[in-house]
């Protein structure tokens, strides 16, 4: 939703292979379907990613490196605010993990 969906829509309109990295399979697939219909670009795909989970980040990055021949643009757009204090299963504060640690790790894992 929001800025991330708008960026994905614009990339798809430019005929780019576009990977939507989403926490929710249902919401992510709805966005993929909408973007494909609006742009006519069939190369819009969904991959599950929860940036609050470093294990999820590692799995996502591993799959991208294995399945994609190249990666030209990475848009780190995930973020949360106003959540009550909570710890992830990995012992990290949830907001900090989601907004900073996960995107930082993802970027570093995807660098050449």
């Amino acid at each position: 939703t929001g800025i991330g969906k708008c960026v994905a829509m614009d990339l798809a309109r430019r005929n780019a292979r576009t990977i939507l990295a989403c926490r929710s399979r249902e919401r992510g697939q709805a966005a993929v379907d909408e973007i494909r219909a609006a742009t006519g670009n069939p190369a819009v795909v969904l991959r599950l990613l929860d940036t609050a989970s470093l294990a999820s980040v590692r799995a996502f990055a591993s799959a991208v490196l294995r399945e994609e021949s190249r990666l030209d643009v990475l848009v780190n757009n995930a973020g949360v605010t106003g959540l009550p204090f909570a710890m992830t299963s990995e012992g990290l504060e949830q907001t900090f993990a989601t907004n900073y640690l996960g995107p930082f790790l993802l970027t570093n894992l995807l660098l050449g």
Side-chain angles (χ1 to χ4, degrees), residues 3-41:
I3 293 170
K5 186 175 171 185
C6 289
V7 170
M9 184 78 74
D10 187 62
L11 290 169
R13 280 194 179 110
R14 297 168 190 253
N15 207 34
R17 176 167 170 75
T18 306
I19 301 169
L20 277 67
C22 303
R23 279 179 296 186
S24 165
R25 181 178 304 278
E26 295 76 23
R27 291 177 61 197
Q29 190 59 54
V32 166
D33 294 343
E34 181 181 337
I35 293 168
R36 284 179 181 168
T39 66
N41 184 343

Side-chain angles (χ1 to χ4, degrees), residues 52 80-86 88 92-101:
V80 294
T81 186
L83 295 179
F85 179 84
T88 69
L92 304 168
E93 194 279 319
Q94 186 169 0
T95 301
F96 184 59
T98 301
N99 293 353
Y100 300 101
L101 298 178

Side-chain angles (χ1 to χ4, degrees), residues 35-108:
I35 293 168
R36 284 179 181 168
T39 66
N41 184 343
V44 178
V45 297
L46 173 65
R47 298 287 182 265
L48 296 181
L49 170 64
D50 180 358
T51 58
S53 164
L54 301 186
S56 176
V57 170
R58 290 181 191 285
F60 176 86
S62 177
V64 167
L65 292 171
R66 184 178 57 252
E67 297 168 5
E68 303 296 329
S69 62
R70 62 190 245 199
L71 179 65
D72 296 311
V73 176
L74 174 64
V75 178
N76 281 317
N77 187 61
V80 294
T81 186
L83 295 179
F85 179 84
M87 299 295 285
T88 69
S89 62
E90 297 164 314
L92 304 168
E93 194 279 319
Q94 186 169 0
T95 301
F96 184 59
T98 301
N99 293 353
Y100 300 101
L101 298 178
F104 178 82
L105 177 61
L106 179 63
T107 300
N108 280 276

